[in-house]
Amino acid sequence: SAAVDKLVAEARDDEATKAVDTRRLLAQAPTMAWLALTPALLLLFDPAIQQGLLPTVGLLVGALVLFALGMVEWPLVGLALTTLDESTGGGEEGNRALYLYPATQLPRLLPQAGALVLVLLGVPFLPVLLWLGAIVWSFLLAAALCEELYDWRGAQLIGSALIPVVFQLLILL
């Protein structure tokens, strides 16, 4: 997509994105926090709306753990892509995937927010379908990032784009 192409071009213009800089990475944290917050809110709101239950301490702790797991997706996928690039003869891009991953995944907030709204409205089953749609969209966004950043094709592209999908499916369970 054009937006991913633009983000990759900007990252390539900045040589500092090849190295890990904690301060610059922390600037990306709010973007990933938005992505990680939605599953936690779904966990809190679904029992409250569907069953009329107030959140318990266990549910609040579960939501915090789910948020933390959502935040772990970012370094996990970024480092996995960097490692895959280096192990397949690349390595020219350094750690750019760490800087680019949160911004490239931001569009998946649309179906996630739709799922949250549907849960708040008490609509059954449709939020799960939207959530699965967000996971599919995550695959497409990760594939776009890998194609543009690393020029991967075929099985390498599909395998790399499946990394966030597997992680998100584990969280969905």
Side-chain angles (χ1 to χ4, degrees):
S1 78
V4 173
D5 296 349
K6 184 177 185 251
L7 287 170
V8 169
E10 289 172 0
R12 284 186 174 147
D13 288 341
D14 185 2
E15 283 296 314
T17 57
K18 281 185 159 184
V20 175
D21 178 9
T22 306
R23 192 171 341 140
R24 293 186 74 172
L25 282 174
L26 287 177
Q28 299 298 319
T31 304
M32 197 62 208
W34 280 107
L35 293 166
L37 185 62
T38 314
L41 291 177
L42 282 170
L43 180 67
L44 283 175
F45 293 151
D46 188 50
I49 300 298
Q50 298 295 335
Q51 301 163 3
L53 300 175
L54 291 174
T56 63
V57 173
L59 197 58
L60 291 172
V61 169
L64 285 173
V65 168
L66 197 56
F67 175 76
L69 285 173
M71 290 299 288
V72 166
E73 176 188 345
W74 165 34
L76 177 84
V77 173
L79 292 173
L81 294 177
T82 300
T83 303
L84 186 60
D85 181 41
E86 290 174 0
S87 67
T88 57
E92 301 87 23
E93 297 298 338
N95 291 295
R96 287 191 172 121
L98 282 170
Y99 295 98
L100 293 170
Y101 184 75
T104 58
Q105 290 294 309
L106 204 53
R108 82 173 194 231
L109 265 180
L110 291 172
Q112 287 178 338
L116 187 60
V117 167
L118 290 174
V119 163
L120 291 173
L121 293 174
V123 177
F125 190 66
L126 199 52
V128 175
L129 291 179
L130 272 176
W131 195 263
L132 290 173
I135 292 173
V136 170
W137 201 355
S138 174
F139 170 83
L140 297 173
L141 294 166
L145 172 64
C146 294
E147 183 179 18
E148 183 60 29
L149 184 61
Y150 301 117
D151 198 32
W152 290 342
R153 304 275 188 262
Q156 189 176 23
L157 178 66
I158 292 170
S160 61
L162 282 174
I163 296 169
V165 171
V166 169
F167 188 82
Q168 291 170 35
L169 284 173
L170 290 174
I171 286 179
L172 181 64
L173 297 176

